[in-house]
Amino acid sequence: MARSRMSDWTSRIINRVSSKVWLPLPSARFFLSSNKTAFNLIPADRMSCWKSPGYQQANVVVLPSRLADDFEGFCLRNPAPLPLLYRSQSGETTCEPLAKNADIRTDVSRFCIYEDGRLVKTVSSLLCFSDPSRTGSEQRPPLADMVTFYLGCSFGFEGKLAEAGVPVRNVEQGRNVSMYRTAVSCVPSGVFCCPLVVTMRPVPAGLLEAAVAATHRNPLAHGAPVHIGDPALLGIPDLSEPDYGDPVELQPGDVPVFWACGVTSIEAVLSSKPPLAFSHAPGCMFLTDVPDSASTDPEPAPLCFQVTHNPLLYSLVSTATAAKIRQLERIIGDDPGQRGIAALFVQDELLRCCLALSHASSVAIATGFPTHHLHSPPDETDGPPGAIAIATMLLSLGKQVTLLTDSRAVEMNRALVDEAVRTGVLKAAIPLVTFQDRGPDSAVRFLCHHGDPSRPRFDHLVAIERSGRAQDGNYYNMRGVNVKHLVDPIDDLFVAAQNIPGVTTTGIGDGGNELGMGKLKEKVKALMPKGDLVACDVAADSAVTAGVSNWGGYAVACGLYLLHTCPAHQRYLRRGLGLQPLASDLQDWKKNLPSVQKEELFLGTLVRFGIRSGKTGNLAMEVDGLTFHPTHSEMISRLLEVTLGSTC
């Protein structure tokens, strides 16, 4: 049987060897142990990766039967690096679903042998581990009590990239692909627990979506990238020093793109230290009879968006989810107050804001516009509801949230937060802080632990309907009245954040005089009433415009829900590791979306505290002169209809 299989295998190789395949070169070296002890790769004429265009190849791991259930669980919990093609029975040396007449003992040209988590040697066959006469022992041969795992492999990857017009830098440079041990821990299962290993391929920025499209439809070959951007975000200190493979140089305009790697299985073997284990040798995968074709999933390739510049980070989102968030953005652009806000609209500011928040872990939210300077309190009903809507969704997603307010309004806002928690509008209490300018380093010291820019307290700042500083240093309402005496300099934090790596910002406004709208200040000056005077001069990374700022807050909460129910985005956030969200998680996220009932309840709380409508000054159930029913209630219903109509 083995001879028949090998003859068929050899025949296939001879028929295909003339095809052009871009794979590791024989001069490359491969590092296996934790101290980077090296050994030469197998000669090219023995490497399956040179001989199998058009057919799936498999990484192979052979483990004692008592560890098999743990390792299968490990694969299922970490599907991107360890896509499980087949698990054998104990002692089984064939794998009919993958290849007829196969014999794993001889159908891999080189095996690695591990003892107690150490690579001890390589061999060309495992026959001696299954034949008692060859072992020189009357005891049961080791393979009889071992299970073989066949795992999807990315060889052929480079060919698909090249077909898509993406240059393959490691091939151009005559090197093996770079592989790195990350600081990202795989989801453990039993005795198996190890760091994720990734491959890196430099891709020109303009071809990132082509690279994603070329790989995402083949999850059995690791699928789409798990990280695009700064390697430090994966805990990789230096791209020039890979843990496995060769260093590959980036060309001008290239972005590092990282895919999950099957070498993670070797890390799992090394860390679990089984008394005996086998794997294929690098480059010597098991060749299957299964055509190497993409899945039939009709879902288009995910879209790729740059989230931050410093550090460089891109994110992925499904086409369907992006379309829904864009629909939310269009809906909140309605302008029943006829303020001309449509003139400030820039597509995808909402999407970029939501992506940045999705990647954030600690968020500070600032609100408060004292437009009614002759009343006490001077604040308006636009802003706090949107801030609370964002906060409660962020809390539901497991993020830390802090509320930034003016020192004059601390007690009032603390009482509002307490009431929001008591009535179920806000998921849990959140810290309330203020900021004062006490010197040139005040903002950096506030934003960073001990004033160290490498240790920020927050990775995202949101300002929603927050008074923004104009070019002359004053703060104006839309009537052109200066309210600077009622405003703390929270703008300084947004300015300082521009120079702190890893801190991004969002401004949400409906007139152009709000904090963060400085990104659109030229439009505000040219197109909005009193724009030359009132335009905010302080920019945010994302500037979300809405007919009413609260609507922008509601849309952000809905957008975050959509991203966290989007499989493509969730896979990217989790680096391809872990299981899908639990039903209880989904229920909690849904529960913490804005609703007509909750928003009406909180608006009533604001009115009881003496907070007035922005445009009219009425102490009534209205925001910016628009009554809650029907204007605001209908807006919330429309946003929820888009959000909950279906998930991607």
Side-chain angles (χ1 to χ4, degrees):
M1 182 178 293
R3 181 174 299 176
S4 173
R5 161 68 178 162
M6 287 300 293
S7 175
D8 178 63
W9 186 75
T10 304
S11 176
R12 289 210 311 263
I13 290 172
I14 292 173
N15 289 336
R16 300 175 196 157
V17 73
S18 61
S19 300
K20 188 174 182 180
V21 185
W22 293 283
L23 292 156
L25 300 181
S27 61
R29 295 177 68 82
F30 195 99
F31 299 98
L32 273 180
S33 71
S34 59
N35 62 0
K36 295 187 178 181
T37 301
F39 72 88
N40 286 325
L41 275 174
I42 308 305
D45 62 355
R46 301 188 65 181
M47 293 171 65
S48 67
C49 58
W50 285 85
K51 306 172 183 178
S52 60
Y55 287 83
Q56 278 188 10
Q57 298 183 60
N59 298 318
V60 175
V61 176
V62 187
L63 293 165
S65 297
R66 63 181 177 80
L67 299 179
D69 287 347
D70 282 355
F71 191 74
E72 180 176 0
F74 191 64
C75 294
L76 296 177
R77 287 168 171 79
N78 301 281
L82 304 171
L84 183 57
L85 303 179
Y86 182 68
R87 169 187 166 169
S88 77
Q89 298 296 316
S90 182
E92 180 186 7
T93 58
T94 61
C95 56
E96 287 295 315
L98 298 182
K100 294 182 179 180
N101 303 319
D103 187 337
I104 190 57
R105 299 172 299 175
T106 56
D107 282 11
V108 170
S109 60
R110 204 75 182 168
F111 293 92
C112 294
I113 302 178
Y114 307 90
E115 294 178 358
D116 299 317
R118 295 180 300 107
L119 172 69
V120 294
K121 62 180 177 179
T122 65
V123 297
S124 60
S125 166
L126 296 182
L127 286 172
C128 65
F129 293 92
S130 62
D131 185 349
S133 65
R134 298 194 182 197
T135 63
S137 169
E138 295 182 359
Q139 296 180 355
R140 185 176 173 86
L143 271 179
D145 294 314
M146 301 185 82
V147 172
T148 302
F149 290 86
Y150 301 81
L151 306 170
C153 170
S154 68
F155 277 121
F157 221 57
E158 283 88 354
K160 292 183 182 300
L161 291 172
E163 289 173 7
V166 179
V168 185
R169 300 298 189 203
N170 55 294
V171 173
E172 293 176 350
Q173 297 168 26
R175 299 178 180 180
N176 192 7
V177 69
S178 303
M179 288 162 274
Y180 303 88
R181 186 184 299 110
T182 72
V184 178
S185 296
C186 290
V187 180
S189 175
V191 300
F192 294 100
C193 180
C194 70
L196 171 69
V197 176
V198 294
T199 58
M200 188 282 294
R201 294 168 177 84
V203 174
L207 293 174
L208 289 175
E209 287 193 350
V212 172
T215 57
H216 94 284
R217 280 193 173 179
N218 201 339
L220 296 182
H222 305 304
V226 296
H227 178 64
I228 303 173
D230 193 333
L233 296 174
L234 291 177
I236 300 171
D238 188 349
L239 286 180
S240 68
E241 295 187 6
D243 295 291
Y244 306 86
D246 296 325
V248 177
E249 297 176 3
L250 277 72
Q251 301 302 309
D254 282 353
V255 175
V257 181
F258 300 86
W259 281 266
C261 177
V263 174
T264 303
S265 64
I266 294 178
E267 289 284 334
V269 170
L270 296 175
S271 64
S272 62
K273 296 181 173 57
L276 180 66
F278 312 109
S279 77
H280 69 287
C284 301
M285 279 68 65
F286 176 80
L287 178 59
T288 77
D289 296 336
V290 180
D292 184 15
S293 57
S295 72
T296 57
D297 184 357
E299 174 70 23
L303 302 177
C304 183
F305 289 88
Q306 185 169 344
V307 177
T308 63
H309 295 272
N310 185 20
L312 184 63
L313 173 65
Y314 290 78
S315 191
L316 301 183
V317 60
S318 74
T319 303
T321 296
K324 289 181 180 180
I325 295 177
R326 286 167 173 163
Q327 189 175 355
L328 296 176
E329 189 172 51
R330 290 192 295 272
I331 289 172
I332 63 173
D334 282 5
D335 190 10
Q338 298 182 337
R339 306 179 75 169
I341 195 66
L344 306 184
F345 174 78
V346 178
Q347 181 174 299
D348 289 338
E349 292 294 288
L350 176 63
L351 178 54
R352 294 179 191 280
C353 156
C354 291
L355 286 170
L357 284 169
S358 182
H359 283 271
S361 59
S362 179
V363 181
I365 304 174
T367 191
F369 206 126
T371 191
H372 303 301
H373 59 103
L374 298 178
H375 291 277
S376 181
D379 303 271
E380 62 169 301
T381 52
D382 195 13
I388 294 298
I390 296 171
T392 200
M393 179 53 68
L394 290 171
L395 289 173
S396 180
L397 298 174
K399 301 179 188 299
Q400 297 179 7
V401 183
T402 301
L403 189 62
L404 266 168
T405 188
D406 297 300
S407 54
R408 63 165 179 81
V410 169
E411 294 307 317
M412 179 187 73
N413 281 305
R414 182 172 289 119
L416 287 172
V417 167
D418 290 344
E419 184 67 7
V421 173
R422 188 188 69 80
T423 56
V425 176
L426 180 61
K427 181 178 175 66
I430 54 178
L432 193 67
V433 299
T434 63
F435 169 73
Q436 296 294 327
D437 182 2
R438 294 188 172 89
D441 297 328
S442 294
V444 174
R445 289 189 173 278
F446 181 92
L447 292 173
C448 305
H449 294 283
H450 306 295
D452 181 356
S454 67
R455 300 179 58 206
R457 288 188 174 91
F458 313 103
D459 40 24
H460 199 92
L461 308 179
V462 178
I464 175 168
E465 191 62 23
R466 169 71 195 176
S467 313
R469 188 164 59 218
Q471 189 171 5
D472 63 5
N474 292 317
Y475 296 78
Y476 296 99
N477 63 21
M478 290 304 288
R479 301 179 187 86
V481 177
N482 184 9
V483 294
K484 182 177 182 178
H485 61 291
L486 297 170
V487 179
D488 290 346
I490 290 174
D491 305 67
D492 291 348
L493 302 178
F494 280 65
V495 174
Q498 296 172 4
N499 298 310
I500 300 175
V503 182
T504 51
T505 57
T506 291
I508 302 173
D510 57 17
N513 60 341
E514 302 88 0
L515 178 54
M517 292 295 109
K519 183 176 183 179
L520 309 172
K521 64 181 179 182
E522 297 309 319
K523 285 187 174 184
V524 175
K525 290 179 178 180
L527 302 171
M528 299 301 289
K530 295 184 173 29
D532 281 332
L533 176 66
V534 307
C536 177
D537 197 50
V538 179
D541 296 309
S542 300
V544 178
T545 55
V548 175
S549 294
N550 282 341
W551 300 351
Y554 303 152
V556 168
C558 291
L560 286 169
Y561 176 89
L562 287 169
L563 288 177
H564 282 258
T565 53
C566 171
H569 183 68
Q570 277 300 293
R571 178 188 182 277
Y572 186 81
L573 277 183
R574 300 192 315 266
R575 316 294 191 195
L577 310 177
L579 304 175
Q580 292 297 320
L582 300 174
S584 58
D585 293 328
L586 295 172
Q587 291 170 0
D588 191 64
W589 299 343
K590 184 176 180 180
K591 177 183 175 182
N592 285 282
L593 283 166
S595 70
V596 172
Q597 180 183 4
K598 288 193 296 184
E599 300 314 315
E600 184 174 20
L601 185 62
F602 190 57
L603 180 57
T605 299
L606 295 178
V607 173
R608 289 201 312 274
F609 276 69
I611 299 174
R612 299 170 180 270
S613 174
K615 189 172 183 180
T616 64
N618 291 337
L619 193 60
M621 293 291 288
E622 64 178 51
V623 181
D624 282 348
L626 304 169
T627 57
F628 186 81
H629 292 292
T631 306
H632 300 286
S633 59
E634 288 183 358
M635 172 57 65
I636 296 165
S637 296
R638 291 171 65 193
L639 295 175
L640 290 176
E641 183 179 356
V642 171
T643 305
L644 298 175
S646 62
T647 56
C648 71

